[in-house]
Amino acid sequence: MTKLRDPITVENTLLIVMGTITVERAAEVTERSPGYIRALSNPDTRERLAFEDAIKLDLEWRAQGQEGYPLLETYERILQSQAETRFASAAAIGRLACIVAKEAGEATAALVEASMPGATRATWKAALRELEEADQANGPAMALLRELIDPPHVSALDQPP
């Protein structure tokens, strides 16, 4: 029985490549042993495909008349996915920081106005309203930072099949 491999992984793509170009040919073009090449496709071993070998295997894939560069395309998908995840948080923090800064600035200006001689009840109420809005703006930013610091744990039962 074939060991299941996660999709969009180097190990899974390498298994597909070896199924087309053969393990023996993969070993020949990379100057590695067939056993080592097989181990590279096993996600449970410590061996990992070297980038230079991935290039050789993609070139052999093309030399055998296949389309694309499967290992390069897999690396690209992995990188894009991780970059989107990593930098999406930074962008979200930036958007929330703009909101927090705007609301804090408005609250500060209203407080300064409330401290001036001749401030009225309406001025104080306006300052209080601005402080409440600034306080509310902090909530989403704090929630996002808490989630980034300690992400919620998802059990295997909560994940889609």
Side-chain angles (χ1 to χ4, degrees), residues 92-126:
I93 291 170
R95 284 190 300 276
L96 291 172
C98 289
I99 294 167
V100 168
K102 173 189 172 287
E103 295 299 337
E106 291 172 357
T108 301
L111 274 175
V112 169
E113 189 176 345
S115 72
M116 295 294 172
T120 65
R121 180 177 168 84
T123 307
W124 297 329
K125 286 176 84 172

Side-chain angles (χ1 to χ4, degrees), residues 9 14 33 40 53 55 75 78 84 93 95 103 105 127 143 149 156:
T9 61
L14 184 56
S33 73
L40 293 174
D53 291 340
I55 292 169
Y75 282 121
I78 292 168
E84 286 173 14
I93 291 170
R95 284 190 300 276
E103 295 299 337
I149 292 166

Side-chain angles (χ1 to χ4, degrees), residues 17-35 37-38 57 60 64:
V17 169
M18 290 187 314
T20 299
I21 71 171
T22 76
V23 172
E24 292 73 21
R25 184 63 185 148
E28 187 178 322
V29 300
T30 60
E31 299 176 351
R32 309 280 187 176
S33 73
I37 294 294
R38 281 187 198 90
L57 292 169
E60 181 60 25
Q64 290 195 16

Side-chain angles (χ1 to χ4, degrees), residues 132-149:
E132 286 177 341
E133 289 175 10
D135 187 51
Q136 290 172 353
N138 287 325
M142 292 187 322
L144 175 59
L145 290 172
R146 277 192 203 108
E147 185 174 319
L148 291 172
I149 292 166

Side-chain angles (χ1 to χ4, degrees), residues 17 20 58 60-71 73:
V17 169
T20 299
D58 271 351
E60 181 60 25
W61 174 270
R62 290 299 298 265
Q64 290 195 16
Q66 302 299 316
E67 294 291 321
Y69 299 93
L71 291 161
E73 292 161 8

Side-chain angles (χ1 to χ4, degrees), residues 1-2 11 22 31 47 57 59 70 76 85 99 111 114 133 153-154:
M1 181 174 155
T2 302
E11 295 84 9
T22 76
E31 299 176 351
E47 290 84 359
L57 292 169
L59 289 173
E76 182 179 25
T85 300
I99 294 167
L111 274 175
E133 289 175 10
H153 300 286
V154 179

